[in-house]
Amino acid sequence: MITLDALTKSYGPATVVDAVSLEIADAGVTSIIGPNGAGKSTLLSLASRILGADAGGVTADGVDVLNAPSRAVATILSILRQEHHTTARITVRELVEFGRFPHSHGRLTPECRAAVAEALAYCDLTDLAERPIHQLSGGQRQRAYVAMVLAQDTHYVLLDEPLNNLDMVHATALMRLLRRLADERGKSIVLVLHDVNYASAYSDRIIAMRDGAVIQDGPPSLVIAEDALEAVYGMRFRVHELDGDRVAAYYR
Ligand SMILES: Nc1ncnc2c1ncn2[C@@H]1O[C@H](COP(=O)(O)OP(=O)(O)OP(=O)(O)O)[C@@H](O)[C@H]1O
Ligand SMILES: [Mg+2]
């Protein structure tokens, strides 16, 4: 379990994550939704200690994430950031191999090579493995970063907008894969999504943030509802049942 305990971050007078406490289950898919600026990325950055918290704590399987050695944390918890900036002239395979660093200490084992090959295949990148990442399209590059995080093979996987730049074929394939990793390998996946319908179809739990706070938290049947979504986004939605999923329409 990951426990966030009153995590808080302010920039000047603005408190952008305001004493957020959450418990994330050992296995399952948890989606975080909410408007731009709600504090979703800040919360994931605090939880993975990319960003220092002003107050609060984080534990993952009992490990004090904010104070443990980084290698200990990196074998339990991985994170895909919303923005990636790599100027290095490396190939897709080399990027994905970085995901093994906490395990390999710089020397790839046969297990590492197998994890890299599996992550490349999961992300439909096998044929692009030897291509320099600066020669990829935006969606291909996004998949390469997702593959790097999957190769890290941690129990807890935090993904900030992993569907960025993906076409619907690759977006759906990734959501199915994340669901399988939760169901078949018992991983706990936490991802930020803007598409509430992917959140609806694939999540066990949806956490909605607004103004630095959690304002909705529950299964899709509770959060993908017209009034709940209006409270999150401040606009009207129409919610329909379709093949057992709740589908929100919001394009008019
Ligand atoms: N370094 C910073 N300095 C000042 N304010 C910041 C900084 N980083 C983030 N913020 C502010 O914190 C708030 C939360 O930002 P955050 O990136 O967590 O939002 P988000 O929910 O991830 O939004 P998005 O959907 O646009 O990615 C925003 O108002 C943002 O402007
Ligand atoms: Mg963000």
Side-chain angles (χ1 to χ4, degrees), residues 37 39-42 82 160-161 192 194:
K40 307 177 299 295
S41 295
T42 305
Q82 184 174 348
D160 195 349
E161 300 196 30
V192 176
H194 282 300

Side-chain angles (χ1 to χ4, degrees), residues 114-133:
V116 168
E118 185 177 52
L120 287 167
Y122 277 157
C123 294
D124 194 19
L125 288 168
T126 306
D127 292 346
L128 293 171
E130 313 314 328
R131 183 86 75 83
I133 53 170

Side-chain angles (χ1 to χ4, degrees), residues 207-245:
I207 293 167
M209 293 185 70
R210 183 168 184 166
D211 298 331
V214 171
I215 63 162
Q216 309 280 345
D217 184 355
S221 58
L222 284 183
V223 179
I224 306 301
E226 292 179 354
D227 290 349
L229 289 173
E230 184 171 2
V232 177
Y233 292 101
M235 67 182 255
R236 282 308 291 167
F237 289 75
R238 297 292 307 276
V239 174
H240 303 274
E241 288 275 337
L242 186 66
D243 299 335
D245 288 326

Side-chain angles (χ1 to χ4, degrees), residues 2 4 7 32 39-51 58 65-66 70 73-85 95-96 98-100 102-103 142 144-162 178 187-192:
I2 305 182
L4 310 184
L7 272 183
I32 303 178
K40 307 177 299 295
S41 295
T42 305
L43 185 71
L44 284 201
S45 297
L46 296 173
S48 57
R49 77 168 195 198
I50 289 173
L51 192 63
V58 181
V65 170
L66 303 191
S70 32
V73 174
T75 53
I76 304 174
L77 185 150
S78 54
I79 179 156
L80 174 76
R81 302 173 73 155
Q82 184 174 348
E83 316 272 354
H84 329 287
H85 303 285
L95 179 75
V96 177
F98 281 137
R100 296 304 301 174
H103 304 277
Q142 175 71 5
Y145 280 93
V146 171
M148 177 180 72
V149 171
L150 297 180
Q152 198 174 329
D153 195 21
T154 55
H155 185 98
Y156 298 99
V157 184
L158 313 182
L159 303 162
D160 195 349
E161 300 196 30
L178 297 176
K187 288 184 189 283
S188 181
I189 316 274
V190 180
L191 73 165
V192 176

